[in-house]
Amino acid sequence: MLSPRLPLLARYRCVFYLMLPFSGMPLAQANTENYTFDASLRRGSVLSNRELNQFNQQDTVAPGRYPVDLFINGVFFDRDQVDFIRRDNQQVHPCFDRAQLVRFGLKNLPESVTGHCGQVAQTIKDIIVHVDMPQLRVDLSIPQALLAARPRGSINAAILDHGESMAFINYNLNQYHVSYRHSQLKGRDSTYASINGGVNLGLWRYRQQSSYRHDNDTGSRWDTRRRYVQRAILPWRSEILLGEGFTDGHFFSGVGFRGIQLTSDERMLPDSLRGYAPMVQGIARSNAKVTIRQGNSTLYETTVAPGPFTINDLYATDYAGDLIVVVEEADGSLNTFTVPFSAVPESIRPGFSRYSAIVGCTRYVGDNDVFTELTWQHGLNNTLTLNSGGQLADGYQALMLGGVYSNMLGAFGLDTTYSFARLPEGGTSGWMMHLSYSRTFSPTDTTLSVAGYRYSTAGFRDLNDVFGVRYVTGKDESGLSGSSRQRSRFDISVNQGLASLGNLMISASTQDYRDARGRDNQLQLGWGKTFGNGVVLNLSVTRTRSLEVNTIGGSNGLNSNAYNGAFVSTTQTVTALSLSFPLGRSLSAPDVSLATNHSKGQGSNYQSVISGSAGIEQPVSYGLNFSTDDHSKQHIWGGNLQTRLPYTNVTGSVSSARQYWQGSLGLQGAVVGHRGGVTLGPNIGDTFALIEAPGAHGAQVMGVQGAQVDRFGYALAPALIPYRYNSVALNPQGMSNKTELEDGQQRVAPYAGAMVRLHFRTQR
């Protein structure tokens, strides 16, 4: 329980500053020399002489139990209740029990550290404790040799906050109208409402995604896309879902389902263990400094003890490139070696696994067919990742095996899938192979980001195709997707940095089919450069060749869709140029964007946009646009506005052309129901915080434009990062001068999907 003295002392601390002008002591000197406060000057005060005398001693605190922020070696660790005691009439010190010291990560604790309250700085050598009570902060400086190894960014699972029971709705309302000029067509009105929300009960959370649409031609329709219940299983680093969901489509084709899903959740890992990064191993002859670089960037630096060392908590990088490891010994000698680093999306860190297990019925395809899907990946070492998986349904089996092999030539991914399907015309089997490659050539700043090749035999079928064929049997429809007729596909993308000349990008793809229609090809070349004054220039050329079914078009149109058994080749080249620049150097200066593209047969079209924002606390974003083209020679003028009000966002648009005019109005925001009432605010994410600050009406939520505390003392922090520390702060500007915030910032580490209540103490 909080000691009542601390707020009292803090409240009267201003007395000291009020007396400084009368003390005859310069302010600069007061900061460097001991000061003395004469308690007799405050005769009749509610404070006792003993309490006032505490102002004559710096960095003092009354004995008691206080909530403080604990920092270990400068890194925030936890907020906890800590006892401050006075022993032998000495200064007050914080004390910790053995369980707390174990949580700090201390290893080989002495047997003398027992009981409920020990002064760690006196018990364990080399530990330094610094107390900053005005900030309610305690810093512990602990040598690395006394700490158990923990990955960087680790968060104690005991402090994760699952929030409390609340309900929320995100709404997106839009009213659209268009009127036609010089035409017999009637004007059109359309109303759309997207409503996504849910409710939490402990770690369980229910979510629903629904929409309503009304059109004066088609009438009204209510549609619910997804309903599911979900919760985290922290010991397994996994999430379980009951209800409607989708497979990830990574190794097998994506399928909508209604059932149960258990998947690993990488968000529960520290940042230093997310994504792929290789393990670095070496040997040091002394207490050596190890530096790991990638290109011109330093990724990691630490000190290691003599002997073998392992570094397995490198942060994942957005690009590949070999790692340069420099071991600097205590005598100044250097040892340098290279660790190859290339990755594809399937790469897994050594020693880590990723899995997904699904049992359910299909949605959007087939007839509620039951199926099971299981995938599992495991990183064996820096060189090899193993991938495996399977799908099982009535009359269908598929098995996938593969992996990733990385070396100095790059990262190669290979997955092979075998399928057997029982179709109305009989059984069929086949296989599909997928090959991917990635490599970054650091000396030339060249990235071969993704090169993929897919090939399948005639008998291969994926789950969607099988269920589709069975469903349309006996109907005049086709249940085969384009992928079932596709034989092979190849994609490649190259990004080349040109230093001061900009950046060059080349991508190409080609695919062929089994129905003798030939190949579809696409080639794109792009160049872009950002200049120092904010000017951005982009140029691209795209050439496509596609083969489409030829139809026989009769004059009466009755048989316009008849198939004549041939394919027509269509080739098109599109050239696009865009330029953007600011109209001034201030932050509020508007931006101008000019764009044009040209294609043979369609001519050219031109677009120009001026956009910007005005205001700070509740900014108004605006845009004016004009477009025209050579084909229809139609000139279109338009504009849009958007403003962030304290409890909702308002958008509007209007456009006009020779044949029509159009207008729309939209509202976006959130409604949260909790035990204190109902709170309105901007759109919120799946993980958010409800701020409770009684009497702080008008205080701004830092980092969220337009969000502020309402007259009931509540506000919304719309997005928190799960399993990470989040700082939520209030800006008192705009708040009543009769109210004071006692704490303007709080930190919280929530579970995924948590609705967290943060209470800010106020004085009125």
Side-chain angles (χ1 to χ4, degrees):
M1 182 176 178
L2 252 125
S3 169
R5 286 187 178 177
L6 184 62
L8 193 61
L9 292 176
R11 190 180 306 169
Y12 283 89
R13 184 164 297 176
C14 62
V15 175
F16 162 67
Y17 297 102
L18 291 174
M19 294 302 166
L20 278 180
F22 305 102
S23 65
M25 184 193 313
L27 185 59
Q29 184 181 1
N31 288 333
T32 58
E33 296 182 4
N34 292 333
Y35 57 81
T36 301
F37 180 76
D38 187 355
S40 65
L41 295 177
R42 290 293 298 171
R43 287 195 180 98
S45 169
V46 296
L47 292 176
S48 67
N49 288 340
R50 179 181 176 184
E51 289 170 327
L52 290 173
N53 283 334
Q54 293 187 56
F55 289 108
N56 295 330
Q57 306 175 44
Q58 298 186 28
D59 300 326
T60 61
V61 60
R65 187 173 179 84
Y66 304 102
V68 297
D69 290 333
L70 298 172
F71 285 76
I72 297 179
N73 296 335
V75 179
F76 179 79
F77 174 74
D78 192 6
R79 170 168 289 185
D80 200 0
Q81 297 282 342
V82 174
D83 290 319
F84 287 77
I85 65 169
R86 187 193 308 275
R87 287 184 176 175
D88 302 327
N89 294 323
Q90 296 179 357
Q91 201 171 9
V92 175
H93 294 280
C95 62
F96 306 94
D97 58 32
R98 188 178 182 89
Q100 287 177 310
L101 298 180
V102 171
R103 285 177 50 217
F104 295 165
L106 286 167
K107 60 182 180 181
N108 302 323
L109 283 175
E111 294 298 329
S112 58
V113 182
T114 57
H116 299 287
C117 194
Q119 296 183 36
V120 63
Q122 297 179 5
T123 307
I124 304 177
K125 186 181 178 181
D126 298 329
I127 292 183
I128 301 173
V129 179
H130 176 72
V131 179
D132 185 355
M133 285 311 295
Q135 300 296 327
L136 289 176
R137 170 171 173 162
V138 175
D139 281 86
L140 293 94
S141 177
I142 306 176
Q144 291 293 335
L146 300 179
L147 291 172
R150 298 181 62 190
R152 292 179 295 163
S154 296
I155 293 180
N156 187 358
I159 69 170
L160 290 176
D161 195 334
H162 61 73
E164 63 178 56
S165 297
M166 302 184 198
F168 78 96
I169 291 177
N170 276 324
Y171 61 87
N172 181 6
L173 311 177
N174 187 70
Q175 180 64 45
Y176 178 89
H177 173 79
V178 60
S179 292
Y180 299 97
R181 301 186 177 110
H182 317 297
S183 173
Q184 300 299 319
L185 295 174
K186 296 174 56 179
R188 183 178 179 185
D189 290 287
S190 176
T191 303
Y192 174 78
S194 173
I195 301 174
N196 303 327
V199 61
N200 282 13
L201 294 174
L203 282 176
W204 289 98
R205 54 190 192 271
Y206 170 77
R207 299 293 184 264
Q208 178 171 322
Q209 301 172 0
S210 301
S211 64
Y212 169 80
R213 186 186 303 273
H214 175 79
D215 190 283
N216 53 3
D217 293 330
T218 61
S220 301
R221 179 181 178 182
W222 173 267
D223 181 36
T224 297
R225 296 185 298 276
R226 287 190 68 187
R227 285 167 294 198
Y228 60 92
V229 176
Q230 196 172 20
R231 69 155 288 167
I233 305 178
L234 195 62
W236 298 355
R237 292 198 178 104
S238 303
E239 286 259 350
I240 187 170
L241 179 146
L242 304 171
E244 298 168 341
F246 297 90
T247 66
D248 59 16
H250 194 64
F251 295 108
F252 301 101
S253 58
V255 180
F257 70 89
R258 183 181 294 108
I260 181 171
Q261 179 183 35
L262 182 66
T263 58
S264 54
D265 189 350
E266 200 174 59
R267 296 175 300 175
M268 298 180 182
L269 294 171
D271 287 331
S272 58
L273 297 181
R274 287 189 185 185
Y276 174 78
M279 179 187 297
V280 177
Q281 295 178 313
I283 299 177
R285 294 184 287 103
S286 61
N287 288 326
K289 182 178 71 172
V290 178
T291 304
I292 302 176
R293 299 190 181 97
Q294 188 179 49
N296 296 324
S297 301
T298 298
L299 303 183
Y300 190 89
E301 188 172 287
T302 188
T303 302
V304 299
F309 65 85
T310 299
I311 298 173
N312 56 7
D313 60 347
L314 290 176
Y315 289 106
T317 57
D318 294 332
Y319 61 95
D322 294 343
L323 304 181
I324 307 299
V325 183
V326 180
V327 182
E328 183 178 348
E329 302 289 351
D331 60 5
S333 61
L334 299 178
N335 177 28
T336 303
F337 60 93
T338 300
V339 177
F341 179 22
S342 293
V344 293
E346 294 82 15
S347 299
I348 302 292
R349 285 178 185 259
F352 285 80
S353 298
R354 183 188 301 157
Y355 73 92
S356 173
I358 300 169
V359 178
C361 302
T362 59
R363 302 171 64 214
Y364 308 119
V365 65
D367 188 17
N368 291 320
D369 300 278
V370 179
F371 76 100
T372 299
E373 178 180 302
L374 175 66
T375 61
W376 181 72
Q377 301 172 259
H378 181 71
L380 297 176
N381 48 46
N382 284 352
T383 303
L384 195 59
T385 296
L386 176 65
N387 301 327
S388 61
Q391 281 185 329
L392 181 65
D394 183 22
Y396 180 83
Q397 301 90 40
L399 176 66
M400 182 274 297
L401 289 175
V404 178
Y405 177 71
S406 301
N407 57 23
M408 298 188 67
L409 299 178
F412 299 85
L414 175 63
D415 298 308
T416 301
T417 304
Y418 172 82
S419 73
F420 170 80
R422 190 169 61 247
L423 300 175
E425 63 271 17
T428 181
S429 63
W431 57 273
M432 183 270 292
M433 178 189 70
H434 178 259
L435 176 67
S436 59
Y437 174 75
S438 176
R439 182 72 168 99
T440 292
F441 303 92
S442 300
T444 59
D445 194 16
T446 304
T447 301
L448 187 61
S449 57
V450 175
Y453 178 74
R454 179 186 185 274
Y455 178 84
S456 60
T457 63
F460 177 80
R461 294 289 186 271
D462 65 27
L463 195 63
N464 280 328
D465 292 331
V466 173
F467 289 155
V469 169
R470 292 175 181 174
Y471 182 73
V472 301
T473 298
K475 303 178 182 179
D476 189 18
E477 300 178 40
S478 173
L480 292 178
S481 68
S483 62
S484 67
R485 294 187 295 265
Q486 185 185 96
R487 175 161 41 203
S488 66
R489 178 183 177 92
F490 178 72
D491 301 275
I492 187 170
S493 175
V494 180
N495 193 291
Q496 175 65 58
L498 302 175
S500 60
L501 298 179
N503 194 76
L504 183 67
M505 184 273 296
I506 302 174
S507 66
S509 68
T510 180
Q511 55 188 350
D512 68 337
Y513 302 84
R514 295 189 184 85
D515 49 14
R517 59 181 286 188
R519 286 185 173 273
D520 294 337
N521 301 316
Q522 183 183 69
L523 176 65
Q524 184 176 27
L525 174 66
W527 172 84
K529 177 174 173 56
T530 300
F531 298 87
N533 54 4
V535 177
V536 180
L537 182 63
N538 290 287
L539 173 66
S540 68
V541 179
T542 304
R543 182 173 178 84
T544 59
R545 177 182 179 271
S546 59
L547 293 159
E548 301 176 353
V549 176
N550 188 25
T551 56
I552 304 172
S555 59
N556 57 7
L558 296 178
N559 58 347
S560 60
N561 291 324
Y563 173 50
N564 71 355
F567 294 93
V568 177
S569 174
T570 302
T571 302
Q572 186 178 39
T573 301
V574 178
T575 304
L577 175 67
S578 66
L579 172 68
S580 65
F581 55 89
L583 287 178
R585 297 186 176 182
S586 66
L587 294 177
S588 59
D591 293 319
V592 176
S593 298
L594 306 174
T596 179
N597 62 68
H598 174 83
S599 61
K600 186 177 180 180
Q602 298 294 322
S604 301
N605 63 65
Y606 310 90
Q607 295 179 336
S608 58
V609 178
I610 298 178
S611 60
S613 62
I616 299 177
E617 294 182 2
Q618 296 175 3
V620 176
S621 301
Y622 60 87
L624 301 173
N625 57 79
F626 170 77
S627 64
T628 185
D629 64 86
D630 296 337
H631 183 69
S632 64
K633 300 188 182 301
Q634 181 170 244
H635 307 308
I636 304 174
W637 297 86
N640 60 80
L641 287 174
Q642 177 177 341
T643 183
R644 299 180 179 179
L645 300 179
Y647 311 120
T648 190
N649 292 344
V650 181
T651 61
S653 71
V654 63
S655 63
S656 178
R658 184 175 62 253
Q659 295 90 350
Y660 69 88
W661 74 270
Q662 167 271 330
S664 69
L665 180 65
L667 296 176
Q668 295 178 345
V671 181
V672 176
H674 50 91
R675 55 184 168 87
V678 175
T679 300
L680 307 179
N683 269 56
I684 57 180
D686 196 53
T687 308
F688 66 91
L690 173 71
I691 296 173
E692 182 182 19
H697 180 208
Q700 307 292 319
V701 181
M702 299 285 286
V704 186
Q705 289 183 328
Q708 66 180 39
V709 179
D710 61 20
R711 62 189 182 94
F712 302 106
Y714 294 100
L716 297 177
L720 300 179
I721 302 175
Y723 311 110
R724 295 294 178 271
Y725 287 115
N726 296 260
S727 294
V728 180
L730 291 179
N731 182 357
Q733 185 176 1
M735 194 173 66
S736 169
N737 56 10
K738 296 182 180 180
T739 305
E740 178 182 345
L741 283 172
E742 287 193 353
D743 31 47
Q745 178 174 317
Q746 294 198 33
R747 292 167 63 96
V748 62
Y751 277 88
M755 306 178 188
V756 180
R757 178 187 294 265
L758 297 179
H759 180 77
F760 286 76
R761 295 176 301 164
T762 58
Q763 285 189 1
R764 286 177 283 181

